[in-house]
Each structure stands twice: as structure tokens, then as C-alpha cells.
Amino acid sequence: MSRIILTGRRRDPVSFARSHIQRSLPMDLSRHSIQYLKGVGPARAKLFENLGVRTVEDLLYLFPNRYEDRSKLTPVARLLPGEWQTTTGEILAKGGRRTFYNKKHVFEVEVGDETGRVKCVWFNQPWLENYIHVGDEVVLHGRVELFKERLQLVAPEYEIIAPQDQRLSMGRIVPIYPLTKGMGQRYLRKLMALALELHAADLVEVIPSDILERQGLEPVNRCISQLHFPDTEQAQDAADRRVSFEEFFFFQICVILRRMSMAKTQGFAHKIPRDLEERFKAGFPFALTPAQQKAMVQIREDMAAPRPMLRLLQGDVGCGKTVVALFGCCVARGNGKQSAIMAPTEILARQHFMTLSGYLAGPAFNKARIALLDSTLKKNDRKAVHDAVSRGEVDIVVGTHALIESEVVFKDLAYVVIDEQHKFGVKQRALLSSKGKNPDVLVMTATPIPRSLCLTLYGDLDVSVIGEKPAGRGEIKTYHCVGEQAEGVYRRVAEWVGKGTQAYIVYPIIEESEKADLKAAVDMYEHFRKNEFKDFRVGLVHGRMPREEARTVMDKFQAHAIDILVTTTVLEVGIDVPGANVMVIEHAERFGLSQLHQLRGRIGRGAKNAVCILLGDPRTEDGKKRIEAVVGTTDGFRIAEYDLEIRGPGQYFGRHQHGLNELKVVNPLTHIHVLEAARQEAVALVKADPLLKRNKLVRETIHQRYPEYLERVLAG
Ligand code: ADP
Ligand code: MG
């Protein structure tokens, strides 16, 4: 999240200094290598590179991941199972051993303060034995669990506190930084304190002063200091507000400028016969919903216009986005142009391909030729597709990331669809578009975005929303059952399946405990086959299976040659099996809210009613709230809003989603209203000064932070 200069472009020091005459020759921290700081030699500098830090400015913008309020640590006696807590104490005993049957290394210590004792365990980190010693003072942060009637911390983060570290690391709000191997918290804290002391005053104020004043924002040097070593929670909050504002303000200016330049870009103006929509609709066995029709009209207008379309199609799972997207293929086909549809997984790409194949006979498709391109294709087959695409013998290509490989060359690509767009990076999306001459682009997402955030995040996109499901869909009833009720749940599932429906049983797999999770899914599959579901055809699919095998299982399930599918979250995106109307989600408390909703979207896709059972024992308040929310509504937008409430926007969106890839500040979405304010200020500034002639410092800053934007946009 530090500010790295992405191209060779540097600030022009002369104009930079000139724009800053009010300051007495500030030191340009962006050119000041961290090696000049005491305590950083070449070896440490290399480590810092892993964190994206090269200059003193980068260092000052390396913000903490989180903070610990060590002015109020939890005494050992007050630790509570199920909570994430921070405590401190002295190491009273330690011991390392290997477990008997799988030879895993276990390191255990006993930590005590004046109120009590607690055990901590770490797995597979044998070096800890040489690092942690009896008598050390430690701070521990982790999840408290109850094990054999005793409290313990499992693999907590730890920090050994030496007396000389007291000032920065104890008795105050302490920053916890992202680290790289070979670098410790205490070292980084000390270095940061030094850098701030020497250079905070040299930080350049890049936000125009009238905006600072209007928005009540702190000046940059005070704010950066408070972000690292906050005096109070409020001070940290104000500082966070400012950096969020700052980053978003500049990002928004880019977005606005890009949108302005798009309006001037020459794309292809498709000719669209008046009756195309009617012909298109006639190709489906169902009537399009009003929302689908509206989106279709918007796409039609965009594609007919000479500027390239850049449109986001938003709609809950199962609302029928694909059909709408296909309309664009017909438009392109009618103009003798090619279309590409890119999906994040092979399963999904194949499904689009099958759906599409089914509709191709429709009159609007005008005998379009289609091809599937993914990495499971044999070399020769792949080559054949590449050749056909480059010769223009294929009109619509459906595929995965395989579409953006350099060997894929289109004869004349004019329409691009990106499904589940947040699963792709900005670069990947741009790569596909660059295979045509400013093609029309439709990006789709099933992660609903509350309206309040949509404009802010997607300022450079037009948005279509499909807010309603097709009529005649069955209802989905959702229930929560605790683990003890599992037997009964399985019995009910057997009854339902006996009456002809198909069912999913979903297991969580999370990275940290991947192996154990996978084992649970596989074991339960074996168990079900021999016990509860021995009268049925049971299948298993998970992400670690060979692709061919997973595909065969999915095909069988689709064809109802499998009744019950035991699966992990590979299921999440896109699968469409209308006969599957029962879903059991095991350990539901371990899934995120949106994830639960996405999973549930796999059932209730036909006319029959569906049942979703969340099985699990939520131990935290948030866990309980998540389950309540999913039981309470099937409306994706409501779920998204709950999710925002429960987790806060930063976590909800994650750093990698929604075009936020370009943003580098820790948590750019902490305060939605800050983003809105930043957007308003950005709009006003660009309106008053579209080429940033009067706002030189703003222009400089964008040059430095987002060079690729400005080169394209302000080139003229
Ligand atoms: P999404 O991509 O939005 O999750 P899909 O486009 O895959 O949804 O559509 C889900 C299912 O609904 C598909 O089987 C599709 O054929 C069907 N469908 C789409 N539009 C309609 C409609 N207007 N009426 C009935 N069924 C529809
Ligand atoms: Mg879809």
C-alpha cells in the first residue's frame, strides 16, 4: 500500500519546488532512499523492497494493518472463549514435542500474569523453541479457545517485549505493521518513530488548502504521525479519514478524467436493425423480465453510439444476466464482428458455452459460430480455436483466462463480456479489451453493491441493475440448525431426495486449515455413501480434484445421474442445476455473509420451492448475526447492506475487488461519507479546471501515483 512509482516517471524537481514556494525547500522524500536512515543497511533495504518500500516517503506511507490498545490489555483471567483478544504476561514454562501419529511439531508455553495462567500452542514452528524463553515478557494476540476445559490461545501473534521497547510497544495504542520474513514489529516501530521525527515535517501537503479547510481534514504531517502512533482512538480515526480522503480524491479525479476521455474515444457504432430485440426475445422459451429488457435497451443504445460502451451489469445470482449479455453478441454478429465472453472458472465458462449453444438457433443469432477456449483443451484443439478466431471463422468465443493469452488474436473483436468481474484484476480485463479496437465492454457482477457505494466506486462505468428475479421462481426457505440436529437434517434430506429432488451438501475450505477441511469433506462423502445416503447416488467435487474428474461429476449431477453432491466452495460461482432444490451448508458459521448468499443462489433456480439449511454453532456475535441475516432475507441487496453493517465496508469489499486494486491505502472504505465527500470535491475541481492547469500540484501528484491514467487522459 505504499506509494510506488510505477513507471520511470519522476517528479520534475524544479516545477515541484515552484509549486511549493510557501514551504522552505522541503526535502523530497520520494527521492530519499531509506538507506539513509540509521538502522537500514543494504540487507534491510532489500527486505523493505518486499514491502514495496524504497524511499522514506514509502516508509511513512507503510501503514499499520491494525492497532493494539496496550493501554488496556485483557488480564488472563478475563479471556473469553471464541473472542479475539490481546493479553500480556510472563512465560512460565515451555516445551516442544512431536505428536505421536502424524509427527507434527507442537510448541506449548504457559503464560501467566497476576490474575491467572493460559496455555498457548503453535503447530509446525519448531524454531520458536529457540526464540521464546522462560522469563520473557510477551504480548499475545489471538483467538481464545476452550480445549479440554482449559483456555488456550492457538497460534497467537506474539511479541517479546524488552525493557527498552516499553516506550513504543507498551502502555499505548501500538501499531501492528505488515511484515516480511526477517523483520520484526519492534524494529519497524523504532525505525518508523525515527523517520517521523526526522521527516514528518517534510511531507508535502497535496490536498488544496481550501478543500482541507472545507472538509475539516488534518494537515498531512500531523496525520501521518498519528496514523503510526496515535495518541487516542479519535486521533487515529481522524488521520485515517484524511488518508482515505486523500487517496480517494486523487483516484476519483482519475476516474472522472477517464470517463471524460472515454466520451471522446472512437469506438465502433454498431448498426442495429429495429426488429433485433423482437427477434432476440423470440429465441427464448421464457419472456424477459422488465429489468432485463431495460438493461437490453441500455446496451443497445451504448453499442449503437460511436463511443465505446463501458457498462456494469449488476444483479443478484440467478436474475438472468447472461441472457442480457448475449444480446450484445447478436448486435456484434449482425455487424460482422466478434464477441468474447470471459468467466473466472472452467465450470462457469463451460456452462455459458452450453447455454449459448442452446440459444444459437434463435433468429437473432444469425447462425453465429461459437467456440469454447479454456486451458483443458488439448494443444491441437486449442490451436484450431486460435486459428479459427484469428481468421474470423468464429463469431463468439467463450472462455476463461485462456482468452487473454497472447496467442489469442481476434480478427475483429467488438464486444467483450466479463462475468463475475471482481474475480479478475484490472489488468486482465484491460488485456481482453485490448484485443479489439476500443470494443464495447460489459462487466457483470453478482455481488450486489449498495447504491450508496456504486457511484463512488464505479464513477467511470454506466450501471444497469437487474433488481428482480424472473416470475415463476420457487421460494427459498432458509433454516438454521445447530450441529446436534445434523442427524435429523440428513434424514430430511434423504426424504426429499427420495421424492426426486437433488441436493448439495457444502463444506467450507479456508486457507489456513485447508488440509483438515478437505479431509472433512472427503471423509463425510465416504460416510454418507455408506450410511445416511446409501440408497442414493452420491458424488464429490472439490477444487483439488483433477479437472476432468470434477467435470465428469458436475456433468453427472447436471444430468441427474447423481442425487446428492458433496462439495466445497468451488460451487460458489455460477453453477446452474435447476433440479437441485435442497442445500445443506455445514459449518455455516465459518462462511462470510455474501458467500452464504452466493451459495444459496445455486438452489431455487426452477419453479419448485427450495430449502437451504445452515448447519452450525456460531460462537461469536458476528457469526450469529450473519446466520440470522441469511435466514431473514433472500434479497441480495439487503444482504450486502447487512454485510456492510456487520463488517464495515473495507472488509466487505476486500482490497482486491471492484477496481479498488488501484487503491493502496489500508482500508479505503472505512468511511463511506468520506468517499462521497472526496468524490464531490473531485468533481468540482475537474469541472472548474478540466486539464488541471491551475492545480499543478494535483496534476503532479496524479502523475506520481497513477501515471498510467494521466498519460492516457491528459495526453492532449
Ligand atoms: P445470473 O447469471 O444472473 O446468475 P443466469 O443468466 O445464469 O443468471 O440465469 C439463471 C437461469 O434463469 C438460467 O437458467 C436462465 O435460463 C433462466 N432465465 C433467465 N432469464 C429468465 C426469464 N426472464 N424467465 C425465466 N427464466 C429465465
Ligand atoms: Mg451468471
Side-chain angles (χ1 to χ4, degrees), residues 321-322 352 419-420:
K321 294 183 293 296
T322 313
H352 281 325
D419 195 12
E420 302 294 340

Side-chain angles (χ1 to χ4, degrees), residues 313-386:
L313 179 58
Q314 242 201 81
D316 208 348
V317 281
C319 71
K321 294 183 293 296
T322 313
V323 169
V324 173
L326 293 184
F327 177 69
C329 299
C330 293
V331 172
R333 167 69 180 145
N335 286 262
K337 307 264 173 189
Q338 291 171 299
S339 309
I341 302 176
M342 183 160 74
T345 63
E346 261 136 33
I347 292 182
L348 200 52
R350 257 169 62 85
Q351 191 173 287
H352 281 325
F353 179 75
M354 311 264 270
T355 313
L356 195 56
S357 307
Y359 293 143
L360 271 193
F365 283 95
N366 196 12
K367 303 203 175 68
R369 296 153 297 180
I370 64 170
L372 175 67
L373 186 60
D374 65 26
S375 49
T376 60
L377 284 188
K378 302 252 155 50
K379 206 168 162 211
N380 285 344
D381 295 341
R382 193 172 336 161
K383 175 109 186 3
V385 175
H386 287 170

Side-chain angles (χ1 to χ4, degrees), residues 1-173:
M1 54 105 259
S2 62
R3 286 159 193 198
I4 315 159
I5 298 177
L6 295 174
T7 67
R9 189 184 283 277
R10 292 270 151 172
R11 277 178 186 156
D12 164 10
V14 179
S15 73
F16 189 72
R18 225 183 274 133
S19 63
H20 268 86
I21 26 181
Q22 73 273 29
R23 292 179 55 99
S24 58
L25 275 185
M27 175 178 273
D28 185 348
L29 300 179
S30 73
R31 319 188 101 201
H32 200 61
S33 161
I34 46 166
Q35 286 206 42
Y36 294 108
L37 290 173
K38 200 171 140 225
V40 187
R44 281 265 162 68
K46 265 237 133 41
L47 290 184
F48 272 113
E49 272 188 31
N50 297 339
L51 296 169
V53 171
R54 289 187 184 80
T55 66
V56 175
E57 185 183 72
D58 294 338
L59 180 70
L60 294 179
Y61 276 90
L62 177 72
F63 299 143
N65 277 341
R66 58 182 185 85
Y67 303 86
E68 273 176 20
D69 190 347
R70 294 188 183 167
S71 60
K72 352 183 225 257
L73 295 170
T74 310
V76 169
R78 300 240 308 273
L79 292 173
L80 285 176
E83 302 289 322
W84 285 86
Q85 291 180 310
T86 311
T87 189
T88 184
E90 185 187 337
I91 305 276
L92 302 173
K94 69 166 188 171
R97 61 185 168 86
R98 293 200 173 265
T99 55
F100 177 69
Y101 70 88
N102 61 5
K103 301 280 172 271
K104 231 185 189 175
H105 185 272
V106 185
F107 180 60
E108 292 174 326
V109 304
E110 186 85 15
V111 175
D113 65 4
E114 55 278 18
T115 70
R117 294 167 153 229
V118 66
K119 202 166 87 172
C120 307
V121 289
W122 289 269
F123 299 105
N124 287 329
Q125 300 187 43
W127 62 88
L128 287 180
E129 286 193 52
N130 303 325
Y131 185 73
I132 293 179
H133 302 287
V134 171
D136 285 346
E137 284 292 328
V138 286
V139 175
L140 299 153
H141 172 81
R143 201 179 133 96
V144 184
E145 299 197 346
L146 203 54
F147 182 71
K148 293 192 179 153
E149 320 248 308
R150 271 206 62 185
L151 288 184
Q152 67 174 23
L153 285 157
V154 180
E157 285 177 40
Y158 57 89
E159 207 180 294
I160 300 166
I161 307 293
Q164 68 271 23
D165 299 322
Q166 293 283 336
R167 186 177 68 88
L168 293 176
S169 297
M170 289 306 282
R172 56 168 305 135
I173 301 176

Side-chain angles (χ1 to χ4, degrees), residues 268 270 332-333 335-340 388-395 409-416 435-439:
F268 178 71
H270 288 86
R333 167 69 180 145
N335 286 262
K337 307 264 173 189
Q338 291 171 299
S339 309
V389 171
S390 69
R391 284 200 295 265
E393 289 159 12
V394 164
D395 305 300
V409 178
F410 287 83
K411 178 148 183 268
D412 195 356
L413 175 66
Y415 177 59
V416 167
K435 291 181 187 278
K437 291 187 214 93
N438 300 324

Side-chain angles (χ1 to χ4, degrees), residues 229-245:
F229 296 102
D231 292 330
T232 60
E233 215 173 298
Q234 290 80 345
Q236 187 265 324
D237 208 54
D240 197 29
R241 204 173 98 84
R242 190 222 132 94
V243 277
S244 299
F245 184 97

